[in-house]
Amino acid sequence: FCLENTDPRTRGRGIQLLSQVLLQCYSLLQEKEVLHLVLFYESRLQDHHLVIPSVLQGLRALSMCEVLPPGLAVSVLKAIFQEVHVQSLLQLDRHTVYSIITNFMSTREEELKGLGADFTFGFIQVMDGEKDPRNLLVAFQIVRDLITKDYALGPFVEELFEVTSCYFPVDFTPPPNDPHGIQREDLILSLRAVLSSTPQFAEFLLPLLIEKLDSELQSAKLDSLQTLTACCAIYGQKELQEFLPSLWSSLRREVFQTASEKIEAECLAALHALSACLSRSVLSSDAEDLLDSFLSSILQDCRHHLCEPDMKLVWPSAKLLQAAAGASLRTYHRVTSSVLPLLLEQYTNHPQSSQRRTILEMLLGFLELQQKWGHVEEDESTLLSLQAPVCSVVFSALTDPSVQLQLVGIKALTLLGSLQGFLSSSDLELVVDHLIRLTLHEEDSQSSEAAMEAAGSLAPIYPKVFSGHMVPRLEKELQSGRAEKGAISRSHRSVQQRCLQALAAVSTHTSIVKETVPVLLQHLQKVQKGNEAGKIQEMVSVCQSLHRVALQCQQDAEGCWYFHQTVVPCLLAMAVQAAMQESTHLLLGKALLEEEVLAAMVPVISAATTHLSPELAAQSVSHVVPLFLDGEVSFLPQNSFPCSFQPFGDGECLEAQRRLVALLMAFVCSLPRNVAIPQQEWLLRELLALSCSCNCPFTATTAAKCFAGLVNKHPAGRWAGVDAMGPCPLLAGGMAQPVPSVSPGHQLDEILQLAVNRMEPGLAEGPCRTQALTLLLWVTKALVLRYHPLSSCLTDKLLGLLGDTELGPAAADGFSLLMAESPDVLHKGCHADVRIMFRQRFFTDNVPKLVQGFHGAGPDVKANYLKGLSHVLNHLPKPVLVTELPTLLSLLLEALSCSDRVVQLSTLSCLQPLLLEAPQIMSLHVDTLVTKFLSLTSSPTMAVRIAALRCAHALTCLPTPVV
């Protein structure tokens, strides 16, 4: 009834209903039904304009039918092209037309191609005048498909270009709160894909790009340059020939005159693309060599500026020449054969260091391009023909008094060394001489450090040269400063320090590591036996060098194992020897037992262990653990010790031996998780006892960390899935009952219950409260990282301690320990079990309790809750913090008024990024923030003053009306 009604609105409602049904069930239709419906809808295209939108929806549904009979796609499109004035329709209806065309192009390509250029012309009429960005994205894609899928464009190439290029350059600003999310960049990229899709557009597009390049609008310049670069990927000489002089003129002008780094960079990219495009073109015998004439123009306009190192056009000219030279091997030879001799001549002609630095930096830019082409035959390379003068210039820069010129010379030296076959054997010896001189005797630390880095880069390329020449000379320098009585002058101590750093820096190849490691260990032993002042710092320096070597060995299995089996037993032997001498009241090795030195040994052993294969790690652990549990010293070098090694034994005389648990921690906590630790349960019990009873804070803390590191990697127990423990004994005040030891999982349960039973009385009262708190913190961290259910019980105990007047401040600082990355244990680098988002989970579970505790706390302990809260917030990912900010900001503002400087500092460092990332929320409290920050800029603590000034600076980034 509706479809035959004389009222167009009623007919429209009928067709609308039918179209909505078809959009739901088009996949169920049979071929005869589709034919019948298509013919009906085609005839309706001639109906009243009110009916057309519903007709188009029906045709969109039918365009998705797989059983559409052949020929109907062409019929439908012809009818649309003929009967519908698309641009008079509403946006949604125009989008429907584009969807119909897109559907047919994806399923009926051959049929549509049968229309020839008529299809292209029909689409041009459909698109002409389109303004809506949603529709333009679809229309641009259709044009690109027309071109890339070889539809016939016929005589309509220019019309197709005109109908799309009229949008260039794109001028579109999305409305605020745009639900469609279309950005200007989306339209730019979509249009660029069309304009750069065919060389047929070149004769129309290149004049347009040159015109826009000459405009005053920066966005138009950028768009034109990026489009030109994209076009060069498909153009050839034929398309570019007519326009090359104008293009070069525009590019040169922009680079010489622009103040915009973006435009300069895009100009250089476009010049590089043009040169590459001309390099790819295959020449016929009678054709003009456009590349040669193009490069000649560039050289003619730029080369003479290189002779003026103080003038402003020297760098723009160098950049243009380098952009062209980097396009192909041919352009590189053509440009460098003209430019390199000139630069070398200019270096000689200009005696001033500042001018020479500019010239050498330009030369360095051209040398870097040589790396792109790898090894080049001698008869082809300009650079090889200039080997002697290039080396002479670089070596002269290394001896210049100007540090800045030295630094450029070191970069150039590194680059020349990386060019295969460029440096002769005599040059290499000279290279080593210069690097040693700069490393050890150059006053400026920048040159010294740069020379070390250069040695590290070149050593793997020339391992024999560096192990044969550099390492022996560094060893000699290291030993030469010790006078007969062992005194070392201050200047030589500096040289020794650099020697140690250089030995580490050069250890970038296994063969060199095998030379440097014995030198470093031998030096450590000499320092240990000496008695001069400053030996602690020197021992720390040796350990720092060994640590760097260990890190550099990690990716090489052979080097890693060599380092481990050489260094770890040696360090352990020296430490055991020193501890036994201390136990027997000999003073020779005392420095080695200082906390600073042991702390420096820890990362060496850890880095030497983390990358071992499971097989080699198992081999090593079978020696190290028995050393600490059984005193088994047979695997150590020089293992004749004056007494037995009992680090877990009782008695004050063994205090020195107990300190070596730090080295055990470094080793066992760095092992891969799949390496079994012998006698692990016994080891855990000994560590637990030591952490709770030892009076030495260093020993107690390292024992607690070692215990926590092993617990973190231990196989899961009964508490892994659910909190089957019932009320936590720490909260209930009772003791946990032992669980029968049956499996590794039950062993973990048992050891955790032992730890709980140890901590409970220790925290309650007595002389070991601090040790018990340290153990609680590290065990809690170990369990928080792996999402162990017991972690919530332990965290609640920690929250309870915030109200303790004695332990409260330390417990508050403990929240930083829980959230921060630990440098030596319990991090992913040492294979700890660290679950993703553990910080977010900790925040969700515990911040409400901290806030509640703060509100209920007495005035003498409120600061503890604020300190704990600020530590948690400070380590939380900023996007998470921003979402929680409204509920926490009042507490953070209150924390700024706290007298505790740690609370102030932590809160300020938390607020500074939030001012930048959540300006709307922070603006609401700007009056309070300004007052607080200005007040804290007068704090007696400098760190607080600095942080307050940084926050005040961040305030200036708030919206202008707020400021």
Side-chain angles (χ1 to χ4, degrees), residues 464-606:
K464 289 183 180 177
V465 174
F466 279 83
S467 60
H469 292 80
M470 191 164 188
V471 175
R473 288 176 61 182
L474 288 172
E475 182 181 8
K476 187 177 178 182
E477 287 278 0
L478 193 61
Q479 296 169 349
S480 63
R482 294 184 174 273
E484 288 180 13
K485 295 183 180 178
I488 299 178
S489 69
R490 184 176 177 184
S491 63
H492 192 77
R493 190 173 294 287
S494 171
V495 172
Q496 277 198 331
Q497 174 78 6
R498 287 188 177 185
C499 270
L500 294 171
Q501 293 170 344
L503 283 165
V506 83
S507 302
T508 48
H509 188 275
T510 302
S511 64
I512 302 173
V513 171
K514 291 178 179 178
E515 302 289 334
T516 55
V517 164
V519 173
L520 290 168
L521 291 175
Q522 188 179 2
H523 186 68
L524 185 62
Q525 289 165 337
K526 281 184 180 176
V527 176
Q528 182 191 12
K529 291 171 184 172
N531 56 8
E532 67 277 355
K535 64 188 291 185
I536 290 177
Q537 187 50 49
E538 192 165 353
M539 294 174 96
V540 169
S541 296
V542 179
C543 290
Q544 288 168 343
S545 290
L546 285 168
H547 180 228
R548 179 171 178 177
V549 179
L551 293 174
Q552 290 166 181
C553 287
Q554 284 181 340
Q555 302 309 317
D556 175 65
E558 182 192 350
C560 185
W561 178 235
Y562 167 79
F563 185 92
H564 181 89
Q565 64 177 353
T566 306
V567 174
V568 173
C570 182
L571 292 182
L572 289 172
M574 290 171 65
V576 170
Q577 182 80 41
M580 289 182 177
Q581 287 170 344
E582 177 84 356
S583 302
T584 52
H585 306 292
L586 296 170
L587 298 175
L588 277 176
K590 191 170 184 180
L592 196 67
L593 301 173
E594 291 292 335
E595 184 176 326
E596 199 178 345
V597 178
L598 288 172
M601 283 185 176
V602 166
V604 180
I605 294 174
S606 180

Side-chain angles (χ1 to χ4, degrees), residues 703-719:
K705 287 161 76 171
C706 189
F707 179 83
L710 292 174
V711 161
N712 172 265
K713 297 181 189 177
H714 202 292
R718 174 165 61 96
W719 289 326

Side-chain angles (χ1 to χ4, degrees), residues 403 406-407 410 435-454 498 501-502:
V403 172
Q406 284 179 13
L407 292 173
I410 292 167
L435 290 176
I436 289 175
R437 177 182 57 77
L438 288 165
T439 295
L440 302 183
H441 305 297
E442 177 56 47
E443 286 185 19
D444 189 272
S445 61
Q446 286 184 85
S447 294
S448 175
E449 288 166 12
M452 288 185 210
E453 292 300 320
R498 287 188 177 185
Q501 293 170 344

Side-chain angles (χ1 to χ4, degrees), residues 798-799 802 808-819 842-843 846-847 849-851 854 861-876 891-892 895 898 900 902-904 906-907 910:
L798 192 59
L799 287 163
L802 294 174
D813 284 331
F815 281 89
S816 176
L817 186 152
L818 295 181
M819 298 293 282
F842 188 88
F843 171 87
N846 295 293
V847 163
K849 297 175 185 176
L850 277 167
V851 173
F854 168 80
V861 293
K862 270 186 181 290
N864 297 338
Y865 290 90
L866 285 177
K867 190 191 289 189
L869 177 66
S870 63
H871 282 315
V872 173
L873 298 183
N874 222 5
H875 291 94
L876 199 65
L891 262 184
L892 288 171
C898 178
D900 189 309
V902 177
V903 175
Q904 292 173 347
S906 187
T907 307
C910 184

Side-chain angles (χ1 to χ4, degrees), residues 45-57:
L45 285 173
Q46 300 171 3
D47 204 335
H48 193 279
H49 68 88
L50 290 174
V51 174
I52 298 302
S54 298
V55 175
L56 291 172
Q57 287 292 349

Side-chain angles (χ1 to χ4, degrees), residues 303-524:
R303 190 174 180 272
H304 61 280
H305 292 302
L306 304 185
C307 302
E308 306 160 350
D310 289 334
M311 305 301 284
K312 71 172 188 175
L313 290 182
V314 64
W315 269 115
S317 299
K319 288 175 181 176
L320 286 165
L321 288 165
Q322 287 166 5
S328 69
L329 189 53
R330 189 172 161 218
T331 60
Y332 179 76
H333 288 320
R334 178 74 173 83
V335 173
T336 53
S337 63
S338 173
V339 170
L340 291 188
L342 176 69
L343 289 175
L344 293 169
E345 179 189 328
Q346 292 303 310
Y347 187 92
T348 308
N349 294 345
H350 290 84
Q352 287 186 351
S353 296
S354 60
Q355 295 172 325
R356 286 189 158 190
R357 177 191 167 194
T358 300
I359 294 165
L360 187 56
E361 282 178 332
M362 289 190 287
L363 182 66
L364 181 60
F366 287 102
L367 294 176
E368 285 171 342
L369 296 174
Q370 173 75 56
Q371 288 183 307
K372 290 175 69 173
W373 319 117
H375 184 60
V376 182
E377 296 302 322
E378 192 167 345
D379 58 342
E380 293 180 6
S381 174
T382 307
L383 190 56
L384 283 178
S385 66
L386 297 170
Q387 180 183 17
V390 167
C391 286
S392 173
V393 161
V394 172
F395 290 152
S396 78
L398 298 177
T399 55
D400 194 275
S402 163
V403 172
Q404 297 306 314
L405 181 53
Q406 284 179 13
L407 292 173
V408 182
I410 292 167
K411 279 186 188 173
L413 183 70
T414 308
L415 199 140
L416 292 179
S418 69
L419 299 176
Q420 188 180 347
F422 186 81
L423 296 175
S424 66
S425 55
S426 57
D427 288 334
L428 285 169
E429 289 183 21
L430 206 52
V431 166
V432 170
D433 290 343
H434 280 298
L435 290 176
I436 289 175
R437 177 182 57 77
L438 288 165
T439 295
L440 302 183
H441 305 297
E442 177 56 47
E443 286 185 19
D444 189 272
S445 61
Q446 286 184 85
S447 294
S448 175
E449 288 166 12
M452 288 185 210
E453 292 300 320
S457 299
L458 295 175
I461 306 172
Y462 309 102
K464 289 183 180 177
V465 174
F466 279 83
S467 60
H469 292 80
M470 191 164 188
V471 175
R473 288 176 61 182
L474 288 172
E475 182 181 8
K476 187 177 178 182
E477 287 278 0
L478 193 61
Q479 296 169 349
S480 63
R482 294 184 174 273
E484 288 180 13
K485 295 183 180 178
I488 299 178
S489 69
R490 184 176 177 184
S491 63
H492 192 77
R493 190 173 294 287
S494 171
V495 172
Q496 277 198 331
Q497 174 78 6
R498 287 188 177 185
C499 270
L500 294 171
Q501 293 170 344
L503 283 165
V506 83
S507 302
T508 48
H509 188 275
T510 302
S511 64
I512 302 173
V513 171
K514 291 178 179 178
E515 302 289 334
T516 55
V517 164
V519 173
L520 290 168
L521 291 175
Q522 188 179 2
H523 186 68
L524 185 62

